[in-house]
């Protein structure tokens, strides 16, 4: 989507359209920065298309079952039709062109995103971005306050909306408010850089339940909240403002049944075989699937592969890599630079090592249909998931679910939340290039029975906690008063040797 499609002046906004909203206030309301659909225009007119990303994949599965209301930004400020999606009621919230720059590209993606991902890129702090972030959060809070039934539940999602819980509580003290952070919550040493750290903590403390992907993030939050605000208590329960706030880990997951059904679909199995033929029937197919983001370690992965080809461990024609890099945040100059760097690395690797009709890396910068993604997962012998930091990483879990026959090997960064559960993966520190090469070698060369045992272990873990379990456990905890026991996830995972 080009920026001109994304941001236009405030003309023909949702206010002009007859969306059903306040006539029937909802028991369950979800607020996320994005709606599950986004509006884009081309020469042939405008259309709503699914938004990419893990949050959408997970919440679509959940909300279509509960017939709830989803409040979010539609990715455009000008649209001429009503979005409808799988039985979910959608309530668009508009943002202006300036807010898109300052709240979305600025504070959300150039301040919070890098800061919360271990400052892989230097986080920028600008007061005008902060003011826009406050204004947009206030708008979301007001829409939620108008939409939720008395005593209902509002579930707020992710780093773009951390101030909403407190704002909403002031408007609607009768509702239960949950907040879930999809990305990591950093250690104090990093979070303390944030000029508005106290305001963000107090914003989150407006919730009754604050959920994180992993235990470490929950502990980081509780510790910093006790240090910088008047909150008292322990890692799991805080007392603040005469209220009890529960904090815990709720690791997100995938719709295992949906993926299993696709894997059993003969058309998708045929497509997986066709993909291998189209790749030239190689012995080894390696795969990467990521939003094109500098946190995902795509370029590092390509460097490791390039060296493995140069050293002769991998052979052009015999071994191939497929990298799907889904377009993301394209109006951000840093993402443009990340894209150019990745494409330069792919070009150099193919130029140096590929043969006519046999590139070593097949690079696709497109959003593919999910069925095609599942066929690719099925076709891949080795999956490379090497983020420098990732809240969870659903791709890793989707790959595991696609291998019901126990084939497939997963190389997984120890800095992805998924590493806490997928202990059967070939674990890697992606900052260590030689280590990454060693682990890819180990994954490719592991004996069949070892690899199958690893896959079986990972499948048990994903099957034991699906996206529905994630939502049920979060909403269940939010609905009940007793002190929750935070989910126990085994954190004694094997680290890279
Ligand atoms: C954030 C956090 C956390 C990818 N390419 C295509 C496509 N996808 C889908 C995958 C998967 C999702 O997008 C990506 O999810 P991830 O979890 O891997 O990554 P983020 O987008 O960064 O998600 C992350 C997640 O939120 C959930 O809490 O796990 O840590 O960063 O579901 O299948 N889907 C389609 N075409 C593609 O080309 N249809």
């Amino acid at each position: 989507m080009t920026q001109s499609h994304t941001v236009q002046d405030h003309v023909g906004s949702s206010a002009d359209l007859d969306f059903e909203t306040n006539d029937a206030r909802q028991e369950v309301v979800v607020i996320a920065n994005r709606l599950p659909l986004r509006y884009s225009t081309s020469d042939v007119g405008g259309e709503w298309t699914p938004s990419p990303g893990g949050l959408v994949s997970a919440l679509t599965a959940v909300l279509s079952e509960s017939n709830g209301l989803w409040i979010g930004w539609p990715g455009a400020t000008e649209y001429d039709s009503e979005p409808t999606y799988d039985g979910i009621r959608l309530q668009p919230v508009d943002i202006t062109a300036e807010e898109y720059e300052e709240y979305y590209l600025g504070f959300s993606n150039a301040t919070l995103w890098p800061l919360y991902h271990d400052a892989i890129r230097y986080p920028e702090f600008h007061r005008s971005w902060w003011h826009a972030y406050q204004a947009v959060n206030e708008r979301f809070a007001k829409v939620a306050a108008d939409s939720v039934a008395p005593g209902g539940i509002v579930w707020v999602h992710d780093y773009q909306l951390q101030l909403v819980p407190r704002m909403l509580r002031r408007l609607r003290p009768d509702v239960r408010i949950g907040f879930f952070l999809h990305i990591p919550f950093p250690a104090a040493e990093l979070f303390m850089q944030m000029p508005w750290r106290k305001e963000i903590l107090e914003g989150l403390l407006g919730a009754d339940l604050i959920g994180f992907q992993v235990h470490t993030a929950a502990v980081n939050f509780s510790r910093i909240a006790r240090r910088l605000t008047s909150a008292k208590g322990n890692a799991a329960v805080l007392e603040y403002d005469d209220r009890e706030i529960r904090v815990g880990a709720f690791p997100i997951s995938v719709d295992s049944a949906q993926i299993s059904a696709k894997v059993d679909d003969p058309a998708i199995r045929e497509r997986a075989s066709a993909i291998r033929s189209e790749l030239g029937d190689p012995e080894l197919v390696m795969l990467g699937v990521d939003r094109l983001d500098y946190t995902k370690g795509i370029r590092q992965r390509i460097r490791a592969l390039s060296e493995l080809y140069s050293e002769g461990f991998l052979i052009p024609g015999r071994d191939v890599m497929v990298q799907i890099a889904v377009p993301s945040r394209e109006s951000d100059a840093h993402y443009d630079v990340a894209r150019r760097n990745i494409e330069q690395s792919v070009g150099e690797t193919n130029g140096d090592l590929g043969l006519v009709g046999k590139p070593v890396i097949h690079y696709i910068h497109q959003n593919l249909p999910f069925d095609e993604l599942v066929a690719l997962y099925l076709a891949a012998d080795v999956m490379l998931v090497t983020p420098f930091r990732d809240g969870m990483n659903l791709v890793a879990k989707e790959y595991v679910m696609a291998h019901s026959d126990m084939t497939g090997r997963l190389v997984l960064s120890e800095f992805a939340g998924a590493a806490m559960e997928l202990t059967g993966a070939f674990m890697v520190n992606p900052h260590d290039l030689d280590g990454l090469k060693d682990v890819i070698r180990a994954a490719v060369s592991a004996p069949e029975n070892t690899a199958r045992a690893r896959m079986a272990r990972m499948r048990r873990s994903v099957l034991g906690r699906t996206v529905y379990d994630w939502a049920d456990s979060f909403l269940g905890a939010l609905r009940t008063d007793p002190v929750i026991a935070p989910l126990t996830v085994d954190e004694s995972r094997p680290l890279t040797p």
Side-chain angles (χ1 to χ4, degrees):
M1 189 177 2
T2 65
Q3 186 161 329
S4 60
H5 294 148
T6 314
V7 198
Q8 294 176 8
D9 287 331
H10 231 51
V11 200
S13 72
S14 63
D16 304 330
L17 297 170
D18 183 24
F19 290 116
E20 324 166 49
T21 48
N22 300 333
D23 51 335
R25 292 192 291 173
Q26 304 286 307
E27 291 297 333
V28 180
V29 172
V30 160
I31 320 183
N33 173 59
R34 279 299 184 99
L35 286 176
L37 300 179
R38 63 181 180 183
Y39 192 78
S40 55
T41 48
S42 64
D43 295 345
V44 289
E47 60 170 349
W48 294 95
T49 50
S51 309
L55 187 151
V56 168
S57 309
L59 285 184
T60 300
V62 170
L63 267 188
S64 53
E65 289 227 321
S66 65
N67 210 9
L69 173 73
W70 185 324
I71 296 172
W73 175 52
T77 51
E78 189 182 79
Y79 36 91
D80 56 10
S81 60
E82 180 175 344
T84 52
Y85 195 60
D86 274 359
I88 304 171
R89 297 180 54 185
L90 303 179
Q91 171 64 58
V93 175
D94 293 337
I95 67 172
T96 66
E98 196 179 358
E99 286 168 345
Y100 176 79
E101 293 290 331
E102 300 200 326
Y103 148 78
Y104 179 71
L105 293 180
F107 201 78
S108 297
N109 288 331
T111 305
L112 292 168
W113 180 268
L115 183 67
Y116 284 25
H117 285 88
D118 286 359
I120 295 164
R121 170 186 146 202
Y122 184 71
E124 291 181 48
F125 302 107
H126 298 292
R127 284 168 291 184
S128 63
W129 290 3
W130 165 245
H131 295 143
Y133 185 78
Q134 288 173 298
V136 173
N137 272 248
E138 186 81 51
R139 190 169 315 136
F140 272 85
K142 282 187 179 136
V143 174
D146 288 345
S147 311
V148 61
I153 279 185
V154 179
W155 189 2
V156 185
H157 287 264
D158 227 0
Y159 63 104
Q160 302 93 347
L161 300 173
Q162 293 173 99
L163 306 179
V164 167
R166 181 181 206 212
M167 291 168 168
L168 178 58
R169 178 164 300 282
R170 288 192 165 160
L171 296 167
R172 289 292 302 273
D174 60 301
V175 301
R176 287 206 180 221
I177 304 170
F179 180 90
F180 183 77
L181 186 70
H182 290 255
I183 68 173
F185 192 86
E189 293 72 26
L190 280 170
F191 188 76
M192 295 304 270
Q193 290 181 14
M194 168 61 72
W196 306 282
R197 55 199 186 187
K198 191 157 182 270
E199 288 87 338
I200 287 178
L201 295 168
E202 287 171 344
L204 291 168
L205 289 167
D208 297 290
L209 174 65
I210 307 175
F212 298 89
Q213 301 275 24
V214 293
H215 183 65
T216 329
V219 170
N220 283 347
F221 171 78
S222 294
R223 192 174 287 152
I224 301 170
R226 278 176 286 154
R227 187 157 148 200
L228 293 184
T229 74
S230 59
K232 304 266 180 296
N234 55 48
V237 186
L238 295 171
E239 283 153 40
Y240 174 77
D241 210 10
D242 294 328
R243 292 181 302 111
E244 191 176 85
I245 296 144
R246 290 161 297 159
V247 180
F250 296 84
I252 200 167
S253 192
V254 295
D255 188 345
S256 336
Q258 182 212 29
I259 298 171
S260 299
K262 286 188 186 297
V263 168
D264 290 339
D265 178 346
I268 292 183
R269 301 196 77 84
E270 267 171 41
R271 177 63 196 138
S273 307
I275 288 171
R276 287 192 77 108
S277 323
E278 285 163 19
L279 290 170
D281 285 321
E283 275 179 30
L284 174 71
V285 176
M286 294 166 289
L287 176 67
V289 174
D290 311 81
R291 267 189 315 97
L292 200 162
D293 195 296
Y294 56 84
T295 60
K296 300 285 185 183
I298 302 172
R299 200 179 183 202
Q300 188 80 337
R301 195 180 301 162
I302 292 167
R303 281 183 69 189
L305 289 174
S306 174
E307 292 190 13
L308 288 169
Y309 276 107
S310 301
E311 293 163 9
F313 175 75
L314 298 173
I315 309 277
R318 188 192 71 182
D319 309 314
V320 300
M321 168 74 188
V322 178
Q323 176 64 55
I324 313 296
V326 185
S328 180
R329 304 178 193 169
E330 289 184 291
S331 336
D332 183 328
H334 287 88
Y335 283 76
D336 199 41
V337 170
R339 177 182 174 185
R340 276 188 276 118
N341 287 339
I342 289 166
E343 292 179 354
Q344 187 182 349
S345 298
V346 171
E348 281 173 4
T349 307
N350 281 335
D352 290 345
L353 301 160
L355 304 169
V356 171
K358 291 179 181 170
V360 294
I361 300 174
H362 294 252
Y363 170 79
I364 296 170
H365 181 248
Q366 290 166 36
N367 194 1
L368 302 176
F370 191 63
D371 285 2
E372 178 74 359
L373 218 55
V374 175
L376 280 160
Y377 289 147
L378 258 176
D381 304 299
V382 176
M383 182 87 206
L384 302 174
V385 178
T386 58
F388 296 121
R389 176 60 78 189
D390 214 330
M392 177 56 61
N393 197 292
L394 293 177
V395 164
K397 292 188 173 181
E398 288 166 3
Y399 178 73
V400 166
M401 280 322 301
H403 285 264
S404 51
D405 60 358
M406 306 300 152
T407 61
R409 292 134 196 245
L410 174 66
V411 171
L412 179 61
S413 164
E414 63 189 58
F415 301 109
M420 303 293 177
E421 297 162 273
L422 302 182
T423 52
F426 292 85
M427 223 59 90
V428 68
N429 167 7
H431 298 276
D432 171 7
L433 193 57
D434 284 334
L436 180 52
K437 287 164 60 186
D438 288 344
V439 173
I440 295 173
R441 271 195 213 97
V444 170
S445 316
E448 196 62 38
N449 57 344
T450 313
R452 292 173 79 86
R454 282 172 172 264
M455 182 55 80
R457 180 139 53 103
M458 293 192 287
R459 287 182 60 79
R460 277 196 297 278
S461 157
V462 181
L463 283 165
R465 196 194 302 283
T466 69
V467 71
Y468 295 99
D469 299 318
W470 166 74
D472 286 350
S473 63
F474 189 92
L475 290 171
L478 185 55
R479 283 191 176 107
T480 50
D481 285 323
V483 171
I484 50 161
L487 290 185
T488 46
V489 175
D490 180 13
E491 301 213 4
S492 57
R493 68 191 194 283
L495 292 176
T496 312

